[in-house]
């Protein structure tokens, strides 16, 4: 004796689209814009502090005694 079973999804479940496949491969170099790199020595130009103005606020980039950079508002 054989019993056949038919499953049916609710109408709302049939409207859902499958998610696109995600690629773990890095994007090609021409797809992503290059990030600009600037050395801290060229920014500070021999000094120990730089003031950056951004949207009406001032940020201070300081070089510590231990050669670490600190950015404060």
């Amino acid at each position: 004796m054989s019993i056949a079973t038919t499953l049916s999804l609710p109408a709302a479940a049939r409207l859902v689209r499958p998610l696109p496949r995600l690629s773990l491969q890095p994007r090609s170099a021409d797809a992503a814009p290059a990030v600009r790199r600037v050395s801290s020595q060229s920014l500070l130009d021999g000094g120990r502090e730089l003031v950056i103005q951004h949207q009406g606020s001032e940020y201070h980039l300081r070089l510590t005694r231990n050669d670490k950079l600190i950015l404060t508002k």
Side-chain angles (χ1 to χ4, degrees):
M1 181 166 142
S2 169
I3 299 175
T5 305
T6 303
L7 297 176
S8 118
L9 296 173
R14 282 180 254 150
L15 296 176
V16 176
R17 295 182 196 159
L19 292 173
R21 288 185 170 249
L22 297 176
S23 172
L24 297 178
Q25 299 297 325
R27 295 191 318 184
S28 64
D30 52 331
V35 175
R36 195 170 146 224
R37 297 188 187 277
V38 179
S39 72
S40 59
Q41 289 93 356
S42 66
L43 281 176
L44 294 170
D45 195 27
R48 300 200 63 85
E49 183 173 356
L50 170 72
V51 178
I52 302 169
Q53 295 178 337
H54 176 68
Q55 295 182 351
S57 295
E58 286 189 349
Y59 294 82
H60 296 260
L61 181 66
R62 291 185 180 96
L63 182 62
T64 69
R65 284 180 265 169
N66 295 326
D67 287 328
K68 305 289 183 187
L69 292 174
I70 297 178
L71 180 66
T72 57
K73 188 171 181 180

